[in-house]
Amino acid sequence: MEVKLYNTLSKQLEVLKPVEENTVKMYVCGPTVYDYTHIGHGRTYVVYDAFKRYLSLRGFNVVHVMNITDIDDKIINRARSEGRNWREIAEEYTRDYLEALKNLRVRIDHHPRVTDHIKEIIEFIQVLIDKGYAYVAPSGSVYFDVDKYEDYGRLSGRTSREMWSQEQEFVKEKKNPYDFALWKASKPGEPYWESPWGRGRPGWHIECSVMSSRYLGSRFDIHGGGTDLIFPHHENERAQSEAYFGGRWVSIWMHTGLVMVGQDKMSKSLGNIVPLREAFAKWGIALRAWYLMSHYRRPLYFTEESLEQAKRFTERFASTWQLLGKLEKESVDLHYVRDEDLRMLRYILEARERFHTALSNDFNTPEMFSVINDFISFVNRDLASRPVHLLVSQAKRVFTEFNTVLALVEEESTGSEEVDSLIRVIVDVRRELRSMKMYDLADRIRSELMKLGIVLQDKGLETTWVRKREV
C-alpha cells in the first residue's frame, strides 16, 4: 500500500518515494524559544510524531530532525525588556519546550540549535554570494537577491512581486524591497558573531536551510511545519537552498493547519494562547487524541467541548486496552471454529486494512478514528462475550498498531527506544571520528554494529542507519 501525501508545492497528492530506499528523512521547523510553548505549537509536534510512528510501523527507518532557534530578534527583545541575558531566555524556554515534548510523548531524533551552527551558516552564505544569489549591503548585512531565483513564489502561490514584501528593516539598502536577510549586521548591545562581512548574526530563514541539509543531505523527503510558515519562511528556505545546491531540494512540502480560537489563529501576538503546560495539567495525554481528531491540513478549533470529547475517547481507548489484556489471559483455544468466529476474524482483519488505507491516504486521521471507534465497540460488545484465543490475539495485535500511532497507552518498555537512542549516539561519535580522519576506528565501529544487525549508510560525512531486517 503506497503512502500518499499532499505536496504544498505541486498542490496534489504524491506517492512518498524516499530518496534513499527504506529511509525517510524529515525536517520540521521547531520553536523560537522566547516564550512558553502553547497548544498551537503542540499540534505540529504531535502530527509529525504520529506520522513518523506510522511510517516506522510500515517498516521505514525515519530520521526526524527539528531545530531550536535560540538566537532571534524576539529572544533579544525579550531579554532586553526583562533585563536578562539572551542565553538565559533561550535556555529557560528550551527547557519548557522539551518538557512539552516529553508530556506529549513526542520523540525527535535530533535537535540542532542555531548557535551551534554559526560556522556552517557563514559558509553557506558565502557560497550564495559567490554564485551571485546574494549581496553584501553597506551595513554589513547580506541579502538574498530574489530576482535571481526564477521559481520564487510557487510554493506559496504568490506569483507577483507585489505579493512578496516581507522584511522592512534596512529596506533602503536592499536592491529590492522583497529581498530577505541572510546575515544581519549587529546593532549596539546585541549578540554577534564575527563574519567576513563584519559582526552580526544569522537571518531567520538561512538557519533551517543549513541545519536540515547538514543532517539530512542536499536532497531529502519531507519538509514540514505549520501553514503560517509557507510564506515567507519556507518560500525563502526553498529559494536559497535550491540556489545553493543547484536543483530540487525537498520532495514533499507538508503543512499542518493552525489551531484557531474563534475566527483567529492562536498566537502570542493576539494574546489568546493557552500554555501547553496548563492544558496538559487539565487534559493530559488526551491532547494527543485531540490534535489528531481533525485532518492535519485543516484548522483545529479550540473548544472545551472538543477537548472533553478527546478525553472521553482516551479513557475509552485505555479501558479497551486493559480489557484486551484481560481477555488475552482468559482466552480459550477451541478446536472447532464457528462461522460467527470467522465473521469476527474477517472484521478484525478488515479493520486493520481500513486503518492502513486511511493513514496511507494523506494521513487521514479522522477516518482512522472512525475505524478505531467501531473497533472499540466490537471488542466491548462482541469479543468480550467470545474470548477465543485466535480472535483475541489478532484483535490485540491490531489494537497495538492503533496505539503505535496514537501513543495514548504506555506499553511495557522493551528497551527498543533506549537502544535506538544509544545507536544514534554511537553514530554521532563515529561522524566526529571520520571528520578527524580516524577511519580505522570508524570502520571498526561500523563492523561491530554490523555484527549486531545495524547497517550504517554513509553519504559524505552524514550517516543513516537501518536494521538488517529492514534493508
Short mmCIF file of all heavy atoms in Angstrom, two decimals, residues 226-278:
data_model
loop_
_atom_site.label_atom_id
_atom_site.label_comp_id
_atom_site.label_asym_id
_atom_site.label_seq_id
_atom_site.Cartn_x
_atom_site.Cartn_y
_atom_site.Cartn_z
N GLY A 226 3.96 24.46 10.20
CA GLY A 226 2.61 24.98 10.12
C GLY A 226 2.38 25.76 8.85
O GLY A 226 3.33 26.24 8.21
N THR A 227 1.11 25.93 8.47
CA THR A 227 0.79 26.67 7.25
C THR A 227 1.23 28.13 7.33
O THR A 227 1.46 28.78 6.31
CB THR A 227 -0.72 26.63 6.96
OG1 THR A 227 -1.45 27.10 8.11
CG2 THR A 227 -1.18 25.23 6.63
N ASP A 228 1.37 28.66 8.55
CA ASP A 228 1.81 30.05 8.70
C ASP A 228 3.28 30.24 8.32
O ASP A 228 3.75 31.37 8.20
CB ASP A 228 1.58 30.53 10.14
CG ASP A 228 2.24 29.65 11.19
OD1 ASP A 228 2.48 28.46 10.91
OD2 ASP A 228 2.52 30.15 12.29
N LEU A 229 4.00 29.14 8.09
CA LEU A 229 5.41 29.24 7.71
C LEU A 229 5.63 29.16 6.20
O LEU A 229 6.75 29.34 5.73
CB LEU A 229 6.21 28.13 8.39
CG LEU A 229 6.29 28.17 9.92
CD1 LEU A 229 7.14 27.01 10.43
CD2 LEU A 229 6.84 29.50 10.41
N ILE A 230 4.56 28.88 5.45
CA ILE A 230 4.73 28.72 3.99
C ILE A 230 5.35 29.98 3.39
O ILE A 230 6.30 29.91 2.60
CB ILE A 230 3.38 28.41 3.32
CG1 ILE A 230 2.84 27.05 3.81
CG2 ILE A 230 3.54 28.39 1.79
CD1 ILE A 230 1.45 26.73 3.29
N PHE A 231 4.82 31.15 3.78
CA PHE A 231 5.42 32.42 3.35
C PHE A 231 5.58 33.31 4.57
O PHE A 231 4.67 33.46 5.36
CB PHE A 231 4.55 33.13 2.31
CG PHE A 231 5.23 34.33 1.72
CD1 PHE A 231 6.02 34.21 0.59
CD2 PHE A 231 5.09 35.58 2.32
CE1 PHE A 231 6.66 35.32 0.07
CE2 PHE A 231 5.73 36.69 1.81
CZ PHE A 231 6.52 36.57 0.67
N PRO A 232 6.77 33.89 4.74
CA PRO A 232 7.91 33.82 3.80
C PRO A 232 8.92 32.71 4.12
O PRO A 232 9.80 32.45 3.32
CB PRO A 232 8.56 35.18 3.99
CG PRO A 232 8.35 35.49 5.45
CD PRO A 232 6.98 34.93 5.79
N HIS A 233 8.79 32.07 5.29
CA HIS A 233 9.88 31.22 5.76
C HIS A 233 10.22 30.10 4.80
O HIS A 233 11.37 29.96 4.36
CB HIS A 233 9.54 30.67 7.13
CG HIS A 233 10.67 29.92 7.79
ND1 HIS A 233 11.95 30.42 7.86
CD2 HIS A 233 10.72 28.70 8.38
CE1 HIS A 233 12.74 29.56 8.48
NE2 HIS A 233 12.01 28.51 8.80
N HIS A 234 9.24 29.27 4.46
CA HIS A 234 9.55 28.12 3.61
C HIS A 234 9.83 28.53 2.17
O HIS A 234 10.62 27.89 1.48
CB HIS A 234 8.43 27.09 3.69
CG HIS A 234 8.39 26.38 5.01
ND1 HIS A 234 7.36 25.54 5.38
CD2 HIS A 234 9.26 26.38 6.04
CE1 HIS A 234 7.60 25.06 6.59
NE2 HIS A 234 8.74 25.57 7.01
N GLU A 235 9.15 29.58 1.72
CA GLU A 235 9.44 30.09 0.37
C GLU A 235 10.91 30.51 0.27
O GLU A 235 11.60 30.22 -0.72
CB GLU A 235 8.53 31.27 0.06
CG GLU A 235 8.53 31.69 -1.40
CD GLU A 235 7.73 30.75 -2.29
OE1 GLU A 235 6.49 30.76 -2.24
OE2 GLU A 235 8.39 29.99 -3.05
N ASN A 236 11.38 31.18 1.31
CA ASN A 236 12.77 31.65 1.31
C ASN A 236 13.76 30.51 1.50
O ASN A 236 14.83 30.49 0.88
CB ASN A 236 12.96 32.69 2.42
CG ASN A 236 12.21 33.97 2.13
OD1 ASN A 236 11.72 34.18 1.02
ND2 ASN A 236 12.09 34.84 3.13
N GLU A 237 13.41 29.57 2.36
CA GLU A 237 14.26 28.38 2.53
C GLU A 237 14.47 27.68 1.19
O GLU A 237 15.58 27.30 0.83
CB GLU A 237 13.61 27.41 3.50
CG GLU A 237 13.91 27.60 4.96
CD GLU A 237 13.45 26.40 5.73
OE1 GLU A 237 14.13 25.35 5.68
OE2 GLU A 237 12.38 26.48 6.37
N ARG A 238 13.37 27.46 0.51
CA ARG A 238 13.44 26.74 -0.77
C ARG A 238 14.31 27.50 -1.77
O ARG A 238 15.17 26.91 -2.45
CB ARG A 238 12.04 26.53 -1.33
CG ARG A 238 12.00 25.85 -2.70
CD ARG A 238 10.58 25.52 -3.12
NE ARG A 238 10.57 24.96 -4.45
CZ ARG A 238 10.28 25.65 -5.55
NH1 ARG A 238 9.95 26.93 -5.46
NH2 ARG A 238 10.31 25.07 -6.73
N ALA A 239 14.11 28.81 -1.85
CA ALA A 239 14.86 29.61 -2.82
C ALA A 239 16.36 29.54 -2.55
O ALA A 239 17.16 29.24 -3.45
CB ALA A 239 14.37 31.06 -2.77
N GLN A 240 16.77 29.80 -1.32
CA GLN A 240 18.21 29.84 -1.03
C GLN A 240 18.84 28.46 -1.10
O GLN A 240 20.01 28.32 -1.50
CB GLN A 240 18.44 30.49 0.34
CG GLN A 240 17.88 29.71 1.50
CD GLN A 240 17.68 30.55 2.76
OE1 GLN A 240 17.79 31.77 2.73
NE2 GLN A 240 17.39 29.90 3.87
N SER A 241 18.09 27.42 -0.74
CA SER A 241 18.64 26.06 -0.75
C SER A 241 18.80 25.54 -2.17
O SER A 241 19.82 24.92 -2.51
CB SER A 241 17.76 25.12 0.05
OG SER A 241 17.68 25.52 1.40
N GLU A 242 17.81 25.78 -3.02
CA GLU A 242 17.93 25.31 -4.40
C GLU A 242 18.95 26.15 -5.17
O GLU A 242 19.60 25.63 -6.09
CB GLU A 242 16.55 25.32 -5.07
CG GLU A 242 15.61 24.31 -4.41
CD GLU A 242 14.37 24.01 -5.22
OE1 GLU A 242 14.10 24.73 -6.21
OE2 GLU A 242 13.66 23.04 -4.86
N ALA A 243 19.11 27.40 -4.78
CA ALA A 243 20.18 28.21 -5.37
C ALA A 243 21.54 27.65 -4.98
O ALA A 243 22.47 27.59 -5.79
CB ALA A 243 20.05 29.66 -4.92
N TYR A 244 21.65 27.21 -3.74
CA TYR A 244 22.91 26.67 -3.22
C TYR A 244 23.24 25.32 -3.86
O TYR A 244 24.36 25.11 -4.34
CB TYR A 244 22.81 26.52 -1.70
CG TYR A 244 24.06 25.99 -1.03
CD1 TYR A 244 25.00 26.86 -0.49
CD2 TYR A 244 24.28 24.62 -0.91
CE1 TYR A 244 26.14 26.39 0.14
CE2 TYR A 244 25.42 24.13 -0.29
CZ TYR A 244 26.34 25.01 0.23
OH TYR A 244 27.47 24.52 0.86
N PHE A 245 22.26 24.41 -3.87
CA PHE A 245 22.52 23.04 -4.33
C PHE A 245 22.35 22.86 -5.83
O PHE A 245 22.81 21.88 -6.41
CB PHE A 245 21.61 22.05 -3.59
CG PHE A 245 21.93 21.92 -2.13
CD1 PHE A 245 21.03 22.35 -1.17
CD2 PHE A 245 23.13 21.38 -1.71
CE1 PHE A 245 21.31 22.24 0.18
CE2 PHE A 245 23.43 21.26 -0.36
CZ PHE A 245 22.51 21.71 0.59
N GLY A 246 21.67 23.78 -6.47
CA GLY A 246 21.53 23.71 -7.92
C GLY A 246 20.50 22.72 -8.40
O GLY A 246 20.60 22.19 -9.50
N GLY A 247 19.48 22.44 -7.61
CA GLY A 247 18.44 21.51 -8.03
C GLY A 247 17.39 21.34 -6.95
O GLY A 247 17.41 22.04 -5.93
N ARG A 248 16.48 20.42 -7.19
CA ARG A 248 15.37 20.20 -6.26
C ARG A 248 15.92 19.81 -4.88
O ARG A 248 16.77 18.95 -4.77
CB ARG A 248 14.45 19.11 -6.78
CG ARG A 248 13.17 18.96 -5.97
CD ARG A 248 12.23 17.95 -6.61
NE ARG A 248 10.96 17.88 -5.92
CZ ARG A 248 9.97 17.07 -6.26
NH1 ARG A 248 10.11 16.27 -7.32
NH2 ARG A 248 8.83 17.07 -5.58
N TRP A 249 15.37 20.43 -3.86
CA TRP A 249 15.89 20.26 -2.50
C TRP A 249 15.02 19.33 -1.67
O TRP A 249 15.52 18.42 -1.01
CB TRP A 249 15.98 21.65 -1.86
CG TRP A 249 16.53 21.70 -0.47
CD1 TRP A 249 17.67 21.10 -0.02
CD2 TRP A 249 15.96 22.39 0.64
NE1 TRP A 249 17.85 21.38 1.32
CE2 TRP A 249 16.81 22.18 1.75
CE3 TRP A 249 14.82 23.17 0.82
CZ2 TRP A 249 16.55 22.72 3.00
CZ3 TRP A 249 14.58 23.73 2.06
CH2 TRP A 249 15.43 23.49 3.14
N VAL A 250 13.72 19.53 -1.70
CA VAL A 250 12.78 18.74 -0.89
C VAL A 250 11.77 18.07 -1.81
O VAL A 250 11.27 18.69 -2.75
CB VAL A 250 12.04 19.66 0.12
CG1 VAL A 250 10.89 18.92 0.79
CG2 VAL A 250 13.02 20.18 1.17
N SER A 251 11.46 16.81 -1.53
CA SER A 251 10.49 16.09 -2.35
C SER A 251 9.06 16.52 -2.05
O SER A 251 8.29 16.83 -2.96
CB SER A 251 10.63 14.58 -2.13
OG SER A 251 11.91 14.12 -2.53
N ILE A 252 8.68 16.53 -0.79
CA ILE A 252 7.31 16.87 -0.40
C ILE A 252 7.31 17.92 0.71
O ILE A 252 7.96 17.75 1.74
CB ILE A 252 6.54 15.62 0.08
CG1 ILE A 252 6.35 14.63 -1.08
CG2 ILE A 252 5.18 16.01 0.67
CD1 ILE A 252 5.65 13.34 -0.70
N TRP A 253 6.58 19.00 0.48
CA TRP A 253 6.36 20.04 1.49
C TRP A 253 5.02 19.74 2.17
O TRP A 253 3.98 19.73 1.52
CB TRP A 253 6.35 21.42 0.86
CG TRP A 253 7.69 21.86 0.36
CD1 TRP A 253 8.24 21.58 -0.87
CD2 TRP A 253 8.66 22.64 1.07
NE1 TRP A 253 9.50 22.15 -0.95
CE2 TRP A 253 9.78 22.81 0.21
CE3 TRP A 253 8.70 23.22 2.34
CZ2 TRP A 253 10.91 23.52 0.59
CZ3 TRP A 253 9.82 23.94 2.72
CH2 TRP A 253 10.91 24.08 1.85
N MET A 254 5.06 19.52 3.47
CA MET A 254 3.89 19.07 4.23
C MET A 254 3.57 20.11 5.31
O MET A 254 4.46 20.50 6.08
CB MET A 254 4.21 17.71 4.86
CG MET A 254 3.10 17.06 5.64
SD MET A 254 3.70 15.45 6.29
CE MET A 254 2.27 14.93 7.24
N HIS A 255 2.32 20.57 5.37
CA HIS A 255 1.98 21.65 6.30
C HIS A 255 0.74 21.33 7.13
O HIS A 255 -0.25 20.81 6.61
CB HIS A 255 1.77 22.96 5.54
CG HIS A 255 3.02 23.50 4.94
ND1 HIS A 255 3.38 23.27 3.63
CD2 HIS A 255 4.03 24.23 5.50
CE1 HIS A 255 4.55 23.86 3.39
NE2 HIS A 255 4.96 24.45 4.50
N THR A 256 0.83 21.68 8.41
CA THR A 256 -0.30 21.47 9.33
C THR A 256 -1.11 22.75 9.46
O THR A 256 -0.57 23.86 9.46
CB THR A 256 0.21 21.07 10.73
OG1 THR A 256 1.16 22.03 11.18
CG2 THR A 256 0.86 19.70 10.70
N GLY A 257 -2.44 22.58 9.60
CA GLY A 257 -3.32 23.73 9.80
C GLY A 257 -3.12 24.34 11.18
O GLY A 257 -2.55 23.73 12.08
N LEU A 258 -3.61 25.54 11.34
CA LEU A 258 -3.42 26.27 12.58
C LEU A 258 -4.47 25.91 13.62
O LEU A 258 -5.58 25.48 13.28
CB LEU A 258 -3.47 27.78 12.31
CG LEU A 258 -2.46 28.31 11.29
CD1 LEU A 258 -2.68 29.81 11.07
CD2 LEU A 258 -1.04 28.03 11.75
N VAL A 259 -4.14 26.10 14.88
CA VAL A 259 -5.13 25.99 15.96
C VAL A 259 -5.81 27.35 16.06
O VAL A 259 -5.16 28.39 16.17
CB VAL A 259 -4.47 25.60 17.29
CG1 VAL A 259 -5.48 25.68 18.43
CG2 VAL A 259 -3.90 24.19 17.20
N MET A 260 -7.15 27.34 16.03
CA MET A 260 -7.93 28.57 15.99
C MET A 260 -8.71 28.77 17.29
O MET A 260 -9.17 27.81 17.92
CB MET A 260 -8.91 28.53 14.82
CG MET A 260 -8.28 28.20 13.47
SD MET A 260 -7.22 29.51 12.85
CE MET A 260 -8.46 30.76 12.44
N VAL A 261 -8.86 30.03 17.65
CA VAL A 261 -9.75 30.41 18.76
C VAL A 261 -10.80 31.32 18.14
O VAL A 261 -10.52 32.47 17.79
CB VAL A 261 -8.99 31.16 19.87
CG1 VAL A 261 -9.95 31.52 21.00
CG2 VAL A 261 -7.86 30.30 20.41
N GLY A 262 -11.99 30.78 17.94
CA GLY A 262 -13.00 31.52 17.18
C GLY A 262 -12.53 31.67 15.75
O GLY A 262 -12.19 30.69 15.09
N GLN A 263 -12.47 32.90 15.26
CA GLN A 263 -12.02 33.15 13.89
C GLN A 263 -10.55 33.54 13.81
O GLN A 263 -10.04 33.81 12.72
CB GLN A 263 -12.88 34.28 13.28
CG GLN A 263 -14.34 33.93 13.15
CD GLN A 263 -14.58 32.67 12.34
OE1 GLN A 263 -14.06 32.53 11.23
NE2 GLN A 263 -15.36 31.75 12.89
N ASP A 264 -9.87 33.56 14.96
CA ASP A 264 -8.46 33.98 14.98
C ASP A 264 -7.55 32.79 15.24
O ASP A 264 -7.92 31.86 15.96
CB ASP A 264 -8.24 35.02 16.09
CG ASP A 264 -9.03 36.29 15.85
OD1 ASP A 264 -9.09 36.74 14.69
OD2 ASP A 264 -9.60 36.81 16.84
N LYS A 265 -6.34 32.86 14.69
CA LYS A 265 -5.37 31.82 15.00
C LYS A 265 -4.84 32.05 16.41
O LYS A 265 -4.79 33.19 16.90
CB LYS A 265 -4.23 31.82 13.98
CG LYS A 265 -3.22 32.94 14.15
CD LYS A 265 -1.99 32.68 13.27
CE LYS A 265 -0.91 33.73 13.53
NZ LYS A 265 0.32 33.46 12.78
N MET A 266 -4.48 30.95 17.06
CA MET A 266 -3.88 31.07 18.38
C MET A 266 -2.46 31.57 18.22
O MET A 266 -1.64 30.93 17.55
CB MET A 266 -3.90 29.73 19.12
CG MET A 266 -3.37 29.80 20.53
SD MET A 266 -3.57 28.24 21.45
CE MET A 266 -5.35 28.20 21.68
N SER A 267 -2.16 32.73 18.80
CA SER A 267 -0.82 33.29 18.65
C SER A 267 -0.51 34.20 19.83
O SER A 267 -1.41 34.77 20.46
CB SER A 267 -0.69 34.08 17.35
OG SER A 267 -1.47 35.25 17.40
N LYS A 268 0.78 34.34 20.10
CA LYS A 268 1.22 35.18 21.20
C LYS A 268 0.90 36.65 20.92
O LYS A 268 0.58 37.41 21.83
CB LYS A 268 2.72 34.98 21.43
CG LYS A 268 3.05 33.59 21.95
CD LYS A 268 4.54 33.27 21.85
CE LYS A 268 4.81 31.83 22.26
NZ LYS A 268 6.19 31.42 22.01
N SER A 269 0.98 37.05 19.65
CA SER A 269 0.73 38.44 19.31
C SER A 269 -0.71 38.85 19.58
O SER A 269 -0.99 40.01 19.90
CB SER A 269 1.08 38.69 17.83
OG SER A 269 0.29 37.88 17.00
N LEU A 270 -1.65 37.90 19.47
CA LEU A 270 -3.06 38.19 19.73
C LEU A 270 -3.44 37.99 21.19
O LEU A 270 -4.54 38.33 21.60
CB LEU A 270 -3.95 37.31 18.83
CG LEU A 270 -3.86 37.58 17.33
CD1 LEU A 270 -4.70 36.57 16.56
CD2 LEU A 270 -4.33 39.00 17.01
N GLY A 271 -2.54 37.39 21.95
CA GLY A 271 -2.79 37.22 23.38
C GLY A 271 -3.87 36.21 23.70
O GLY A 271 -4.50 36.28 24.77
N ASN A 272 -4.11 35.26 22.79
CA ASN A 272 -5.18 34.27 23.03
C ASN A 272 -4.63 32.85 23.20
O ASN A 272 -5.30 31.87 22.90
CB ASN A 272 -6.19 34.30 21.88
CG ASN A 272 -5.56 33.98 20.52
OD1 ASN A 272 -4.36 33.73 20.43
ND2 ASN A 272 -6.36 34.00 19.47
N ILE A 273 -3.41 32.76 23.66
CA ILE A 273 -2.78 31.44 23.75
C ILE A 273 -3.18 30.71 25.04
O ILE A 273 -3.57 31.32 26.03
CB ILE A 273 -1.24 31.54 23.69
CG1 ILE A 273 -0.69 32.27 24.92
CG2 ILE A 273 -0.79 32.21 22.41
CD1 ILE A 273 0.81 32.17 25.06
N VAL A 274 -3.07 29.40 24.98
CA VAL A 274 -3.23 28.54 26.15
C VAL A 274 -1.90 27.81 26.32
O VAL A 274 -1.53 26.99 25.48
CB VAL A 274 -4.37 27.52 25.96
CG1 VAL A 274 -4.46 26.60 27.18
CG2 VAL A 274 -5.69 28.22 25.71
N PRO A 275 -1.13 28.13 27.37
CA PRO A 275 0.16 27.44 27.56
C PRO A 275 -0.03 25.93 27.60
O PRO A 275 -0.97 25.43 28.22
CB PRO A 275 0.65 27.98 28.90
CG PRO A 275 -0.03 29.30 29.05
CD PRO A 275 -1.38 29.13 28.42
N LEU A 276 0.86 25.22 26.95
CA LEU A 276 0.69 23.77 26.86
C LEU A 276 0.78 23.10 28.23
O LEU A 276 0.08 22.14 28.50
CB LEU A 276 1.73 23.19 25.90
CG LEU A 276 1.31 21.87 25.24
CD1 LEU A 276 1.91 21.75 23.86
CD2 LEU A 276 1.71 20.67 26.07
N ARG A 277 1.63 23.63 29.08
CA ARG A 277 1.76 23.02 30.41
C ARG A 277 0.45 23.10 31.18
O ARG A 277 0.11 22.18 31.94
CB ARG A 277 2.90 23.68 31.18
CG ARG A 277 2.69 25.12 31.56
CD ARG A 277 3.94 25.74 32.16
NE ARG A 277 3.71 27.06 32.71
CZ ARG A 277 3.57 28.16 31.99
NH1 ARG A 277 3.68 28.09 30.66
NH2 ARG A 277 3.35 29.33 32.57
N GLU A 278 -0.32 24.19 31.00
CA GLU A 278 -1.62 24.32 31.67
C GLU A 278 -2.64 23.38 31.04
O GLU A 278 -3.44 22.75 31.75
CB GLU A 278 -2.10 25.76 31.60
CG GLU A 278 -1.25 26.75 32.38
CD GLU A 278 -1.75 28.17 32.27
OE1 GLU A 278 -2.88 28.36 31.75
OE2 GLU A 278 -1.02 29.10 32.69
#
